């Protein structure tokens, strides 16, 4: 299948697909980081994670509409406010959900799966009622449009670069919060030994609630960033939930670094194969390989060395 | 189940038959999830495989050369003709024979389940990881079926099924017979499941669910029991899928994917994950509610369904059967006891009468 391309064409194909893969990678990382906190650290299966993302996306859409309607002069900067709002909204919703549902189910992880699936159905229908069944897209400000030509054959879209920079900032932020701050230390203590943590005076309920809400908040930012590369509909969240779970599990549920590494592998594999095969076959092959590797190595790529 | 045919018209009866074919899956899930503690989110895969096997046979029969004379290559299913395939793919060939199809309906899903479960359980993958991987398998199969339109019929699935060995499955009479056949098979599966539950295997499953390590340390090979029960559940689901295809007349990827698979888990959860009979009633109830609700309030239905999941999980983890066990049964028995307590003078007098 490589025979019909020349060497220089192949290089630029790989470069272009590699870059498309990098954008996919950024999206995967943003989606998976929130889930890695909720699922990897807390052990809660949140099937409504995709719906939290979509909430972020819809809020971005609303903000962009408000800005273009009332303050068109500030339109070029709306995105930053939108991301903040998306984060706040999903953070609050996450805290509410934790209080109403999740905290009763910490001892029954498989039941969180069913309950959050119910939540995701409710949210989907809510979006359909409020925003309609059709997909919506946001208008990007001028400075995010267009692309940057690197060589004659390779062009890089600017919004892609923006998403990547955003991913980098958020990943670093999560890293510092989880591993370099007092609060992250408390989270890890609660996860490893709940009784002991509460015995030394950590308010475990509060830590749980904020951790869950923070995971949801990152999903909201992911959804907000997602509006730059695709359109949003009520059921878009469901399309990504399997991918996201696989990314987290493949990387080793408890390792944030593993999550990033597996997002990179999966996205690059998929994007490179997409050029040579049809999109659906590329996806099938990628997923098959991931499932195959998981069967051989159930703990994922980067497993924490803990005795069970 | 026996009373229903007398009181319903054929359309409703066919609908119930359709729901009952989901009940096969729910029974399998009770064994697998309720007793074994293995939650599979990919039961739709086995349902679909069974259904597709049946549908392939029926489709080949429906596209005999004389029926498909207008196509550019007569004798192959219509969707293959649309996709410029000129010969029957090799894996369709054996489905010309009914006996092979009958075996394949059970065997294909069971072999598939066996491969998956051996790979997983021998390496002690369980719980959440198992659920996510089965879900991924369901996603893969759906994408594959939709992507390979020429071989599988794509999004539309395999439609326009007419006869089974020359017997028209679309007539009212055939629907009656299929309904009873479905009930009969379901009853068989119920008995098998009950037998498994009562046997030593059933007790081991419960022990494994609660403390897997202790069972392993007692010298049992835990993974073999899990593999067996998972394959059994797959076989049940496959029978359900085949009955579904026969009664509804088509099979499509919408019954394979993630959403239907999770819905099947919900049927089981609503009925009660520890009750085999409860699973059947749960399936019937959820589906009836779904049909009636979505007929009258299509907007509200998803809200209702979502609330149902959350409510069942939070308030009634044992579902309908659990409600029955904890609320109704004790009251009924207390009520019976009071009645019996009131009766002695009466019964003693009657016995006195008979004595005299």
């Amino acid at each position: 299948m490589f025979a019909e391309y020349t060497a220089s064409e192949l290089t630029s194909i790989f470069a272009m697909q590699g870059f498309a893969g990098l954008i996919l990678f950024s999206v995967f990382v943003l989606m998976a980081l929130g889930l890695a906190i909720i699922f990897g650290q807390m052990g809660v299966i949140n099937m409504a994670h995709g719906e939290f993302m979509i909430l972020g996306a819809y809020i971005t859409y609303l903000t962009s509409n408000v800005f273009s309607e009332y303050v068109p002069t500030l339109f070029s900067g709306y995105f930053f406010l939108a991301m903040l709002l998306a984060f706040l909204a999903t953070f609050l919703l996450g805290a509410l959900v934790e209080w109403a549902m999740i905290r009763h189910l910490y001892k029954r992880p498989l039941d969180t799966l069913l309950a959050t699936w119910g939540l995701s159905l409710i949210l989907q229908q809510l979006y359909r009622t409020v925003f309609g069944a059709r997909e919506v897209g946001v208008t990007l400000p001028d400075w995010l449009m267009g692309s940057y030509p690197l060589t004659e054959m390779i062009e890089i879209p600017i919004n892609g670069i923006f998403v990547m920079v955003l991913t980098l900032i958020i990943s670093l932020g999560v890293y510092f919060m989880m591993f370099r701050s007092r609060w992250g230390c408390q989270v890890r203590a609660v996860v490893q030994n709940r009784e002991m943590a509460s015995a030394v005076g950590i308010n475990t309920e509060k830590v749980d609630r904020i951790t869950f809400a923070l995971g949801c908040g990152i999903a909201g930012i992911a959804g907000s960033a997602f509006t730059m590369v695709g359109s949003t509909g009520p059921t878009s969240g469901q399309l990504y939930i399997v991918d996201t779970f696989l990314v987290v599990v493949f990387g080793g549920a408890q390792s944030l670094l593993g999550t990033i590494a597996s997002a990179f592998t999966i996205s690059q594999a998929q994007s490179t194969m997409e050029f040579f095969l049809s999109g659906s076959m590329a996806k099938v092959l990628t997923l098959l390989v991931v499932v195959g590797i998981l069967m051989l190595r159930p703990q994922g790529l980067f497993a924490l060395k803990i005795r069970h | 189940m026996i009373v229903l045919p007398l009181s319903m018209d054929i359309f409703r009866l066919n609908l119930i038959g359709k729901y009952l074919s989901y009940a096969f899956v729910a029974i399998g899930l009770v064994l697998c999830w309720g007793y074994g503690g293995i939650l599979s989110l990919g039961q739709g895969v086995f349902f679909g495989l069974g259904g597709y096997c049946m549908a392939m046979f029926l489709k080949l029969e429906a596209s005999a050369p004389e029926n498909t004379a207008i196509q550019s290559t007569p004798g192959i299913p219509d969707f293959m003709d649309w996709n410029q395939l000129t010969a029957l793919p090799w894996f369709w060939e054996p489905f010309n024979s009914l006996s092979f199809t009958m075996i394949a309906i059970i065997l294909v899903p069971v072999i598939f389940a066996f491969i998956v479960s051996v790979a997983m359980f021998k390496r002690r993958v369980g719980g959440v990881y198992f659920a996510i991987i089965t879900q991924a398998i369901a996603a893969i199969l759906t994408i594959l079926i939709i992507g390979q339109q020429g071989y599988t019929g794509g999004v539309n699935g395999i439609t326009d099924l007419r006869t089974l060995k020359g017997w028209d499955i679309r007539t009212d009479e055939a629907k009656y017979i299929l309904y009873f056949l479905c009930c009969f098979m379901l009853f068989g599966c119920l008995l098998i499941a009950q037998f498994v539950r009562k046997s030593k295997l059933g007790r081991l499953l419960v022990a494994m669910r609660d403390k897997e390590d202790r069972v392993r340390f007692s010298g049992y090979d835990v993974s073999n029991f899990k593999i067996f029960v998972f394959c059994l559940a797959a076989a049940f689901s496959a029978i359900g899928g085949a009955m579904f295809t026969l009664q509804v007349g088509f099979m499509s990827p919408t019954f394979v994917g993630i959403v239907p698979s999770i819905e099947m888990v919900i049927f089981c959860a609503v009925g009660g994950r520890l009750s085999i009979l409860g699973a059947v009633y749960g399936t019937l109830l959820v589906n009836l509610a779904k049909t009636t609700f979505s007929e009258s309030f299509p907007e509200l239905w998803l809200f209702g369904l979502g609330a149902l999941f959350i409510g069942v999980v939070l308030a009634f983890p044992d579902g309908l059967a659990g409600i029955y066990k904890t609320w109704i049964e004790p009251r009924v028995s207390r009520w019976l006891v009071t009645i019996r307590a009131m009766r002695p003078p009466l019964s003693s007098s009657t016995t006195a009468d008979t004595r005299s």
Side-chain angles (χ1 to χ4, degrees):
Chain A
M1 62 187 185
F2 297 108
E4 62 257 47
Y5 303 101
T6 64
S8 73
E9 269 175 342
L10 267 183
T11 333
S12 37
I13 286 171
F14 275 115
M16 291 282 277
Q17 291 304 116
F19 196 80
L22 275 182
I23 297 175
L24 191 64
F25 160 67
S26 312
V27 174
F28 271 169
V29 168
L30 282 179
M31 293 193 306
L33 268 182
L35 205 66
I37 293 175
I38 294 175
F39 174 61
Q41 305 289 323
M42 302 175 73
V44 172
I45 312 172
N46 184 12
M47 295 301 279
H49 197 74
E51 276 63 38
F52 280 103
M53 273 178 60
I54 303 302
L55 179 64
Y58 272 124
I59 284 180
T60 313
Y61 165 73
L62 283 184
T63 330
S64 86
N65 279 1
V66 168
F67 266 66
S68 60
E69 192 96 332
Y70 299 104
V71 271
T73 45
L74 293 176
F75 188 73
S76 57
Y78 85 87
F79 213 85
F80 299 99
L81 181 71
M83 274 196 301
L84 191 68
L85 285 178
F87 176 78
L88 280 180
T90 43
F91 185 89
L92 289 178
L93 184 64
L96 183 72
V97 167
E98 205 274 348
W99 173 77
M101 272 169 41
I102 309 290
R103 71 187 167 125
H104 306 292
L105 300 172
Y106 280 121
K107 295 213 174 94
R108 298 183 277 155
L110 286 178
D111 286 1
T112 57
L113 189 156
L114 295 182
T116 48
W117 181 260
L119 178 72
S120 87
L121 286 183
I122 293 180
L123 286 177
Q124 271 174 34
Q125 186 58 43
L126 198 68
Y127 301 148
R128 202 170 288 133
T129 322
V130 177
F131 298 100
R134 283 178 50 215
E135 300 210 331
V136 296
V138 300
T139 17
L140 291 176
D142 289 336
W143 59 274
L144 277 173
M145 306 268 231
S147 56
Y148 174 76
L150 202 65
T151 66
E152 266 175 53
M153 278 191 264
I154 307 173
E155 281 191 341
I156 296 174
I158 296 195
N159 56 6
I161 299 177
F162 185 76
V163 174
M164 276 159 50
V165 172
L166 186 72
T167 309
L168 192 68
I169 294 171
I170 290 174
S171 315
L172 283 178
V174 169
Y175 172 78
F176 275 102
M177 231 186 291
M178 292 301 286
F179 295 101
R180 289 287 176 275
S181 77
R182 195 179 164 73
W183 176 77
C185 190
Q186 289 186 350
V187 172
R188 283 176 294 138
V190 171
V191 167
Q192 284 184 8
N193 195 330
R194 188 171 296 268
E195 285 79 21
M196 200 63 94
S198 86
V200 295
I202 296 174
N203 184 347
T204 57
E205 280 185 15
K206 194 175 148 202
V207 168
D208 280 335
R209 188 153 313 147
I210 294 180
T211 318
F212 189 84
L214 188 78
C216 295
I218 294 173
I221 298 184
S224 181
F226 197 65
T227 53
M228 286 193 291
V229 283
S231 54
T232 312
T235 49
S236 318
Q238 247 171 28
L239 296 176
Y240 296 98
I241 193 74
V242 174
D243 287 343
T244 318
F245 263 111
L246 275 185
V247 166
V248 174
V249 172
F250 186 52
Q254 280 150 340
S255 154
L256 287 183
L257 185 70
T259 302
I260 292 172
S262 79
F264 185 77
T265 328
I266 291 177
S267 58
Q268 286 298 337
Q270 192 167 325
S271 141
T272 318
M273 276 196 285
E274 231 163 56
F275 191 83
F276 298 103
L277 302 163
S278 70
S280 67
M281 283 316 284
K283 185 139 195 190
V284 166
L285 269 182
T286 323
L287 289 180
L288 268 182
V289 170
V290 169
V291 167
I293 293 178
L294 275 180
M295 284 180 177
L296 295 176
R297 203 183 148 77
Q299 303 304 323
L301 291 178
F302 293 79
L304 285 189
K305 288 187 180 61
I306 304 176
R307 284 190 195 198
H308 289 289
Chain B
M1 273 183 241
I2 312 296
V3 185
L4 288 175
L6 302 173
S7 59
M8 279 182 175
D9 58 85
I10 188 68
F11 172 72
R12 292 275 161 190
L13 191 71
N14 192 233
L15 216 58
I16 301 279
K18 187 175 137 189
Y19 303 155
L20 285 179
S21 43
Y22 288 127
F24 286 90
V25 188
I27 294 176
L29 275 170
V30 167
L31 283 183
C32 204
W33 178 36
Y35 286 93
I38 318 158
L39 176 55
S40 157
L41 292 183
Q43 288 306 94
V45 168
F46 307 119
F47 187 81
L49 281 176
Y52 264 98
C53 285
M54 192 76 231
M56 281 158 90
F57 171 75
L58 295 176
K59 188 72 199 175
L60 282 182
E61 195 173 306
S63 44
E66 57 267 25
N67 290 340
T68 49
I70 48 161
Q71 289 173 185
S72 49
T73 36
I76 63 169
D78 45 10
F79 58 84
M80 289 188 190
D81 195 55
W82 301 331
N83 286 288
Q84 276 94 38
L85 284 185
T86 47
L88 209 58
W90 58 269
F91 60 87
W92 274 73
E93 290 287 352
F95 286 95
N96 273 314
S97 105
L98 180 63
S99 41
F100 175 84
T101 310
M102 287 297 189
I103 299 168
I105 287 172
I106 306 283
L107 219 55
V108 170
V110 167
I111 291 175
F112 190 64
F114 185 74
I115 296 171
V116 172
S117 56
V118 164
M120 308 276 276
F121 295 136
K122 286 285 179 194
R123 302 191 63 88
R124 299 187 190 170
V125 183
V128 177
Y129 292 90
F130 187 76
I132 290 171
I133 289 179
T134 45
Q135 193 177 37
I137 291 174
I140 293 172
L141 196 68
T142 323
I143 301 172
L144 199 64
I145 290 175
I146 294 176
Q148 298 297 315
Q149 205 172 0
Y151 300 113
T152 58
V155 190
N156 299 325
I158 301 179
T159 51
D160 199 18
L161 307 172
R162 298 188 188 118
T163 52
L164 175 69
K165 278 278 169 203
W167 177 56
D168 197 331
I169 57 168
R170 290 169 303 172
T171 58
D172 284 358
E173 186 195 3
K175 281 180 175 163
Y176 265 113
I177 295 174
L178 283 174
Y179 174 80
F180 280 115
L181 185 65
C182 186
C183 287
F184 178 72
M185 303 272 259
L186 189 66
F187 199 64
C189 286
L190 272 172
L191 286 181
I192 297 175
Q194 193 70 17
F195 174 72
V196 169
R197 190 174 75 89
K198 294 273 189 215
S199 67
K200 192 180 166 195
L201 174 65
R203 291 204 300 279
L204 267 172
L205 280 177
V206 175
M208 235 158 51
R209 179 194 66 196
D210 295 339
K211 269 276 178 287
E212 188 177 329
D213 287 338
R214 277 192 202 167
V215 181
R216 187 180 292 129
F217 298 153
S218 314
Y220 290 102
D221 190 349
V222 174
S223 54
N224 284 346
F225 297 118
K226 284 190 178 174
I227 292 167
F228 174 77
V229 77
F230 188 63
C231 290
L232 188 68
F236 284 173
S237 312
I239 298 174
M243 290 312 298
F244 183 85
T245 308
L246 277 175
Q247 296 187 67
V248 180
F250 72 98
M251 191 72 214
S252 85
T254 40
F255 304 108
V256 179
I258 297 166
V259 180
S261 301
I262 292 187
E263 276 188 359
M264 288 165 190
V265 173
I266 300 304
F267 300 156
C268 167
V270 169
R273 67 186 73 169
L274 290 177
S275 162
I276 294 168
L277 204 58
V280 178
Y281 284 112
T283 315
L284 279 178
L285 200 78
V286 175
N287 276 304
L288 275 178
K290 187 174 180 171
T291 320
T292 23
F293 258 117
S294 52
E295 271 169 8
S296 34
F297 318 99
E299 292 276 297
L300 289 177
W301 160 241
L302 273 180
F303 286 125
L305 191 67
L308 184 71
F309 293 1
I310 297 175
V312 164
V313 169
L314 282 181
F316 308 110
D318 288 333
L320 279 179
I323 298 178
Y324 175 74
K325 277 248 166 62
T326 45
W327 295 95
I328 301 177
E329 206 178 22
R331 297 212 177 157
V332 170
S333 58
R334 214 180 306 148
W335 183 62
L336 283 178
V337 167
T338 34
I339 287 183
R340 234 172 263 147
M342 277 156 61
R343 266 172 70 188
L346 192 81
S347 57
S348 63
S349 70
T350 47
T351 44
D353 280 352
T354 45
R355 235 180 265 151
S356 66

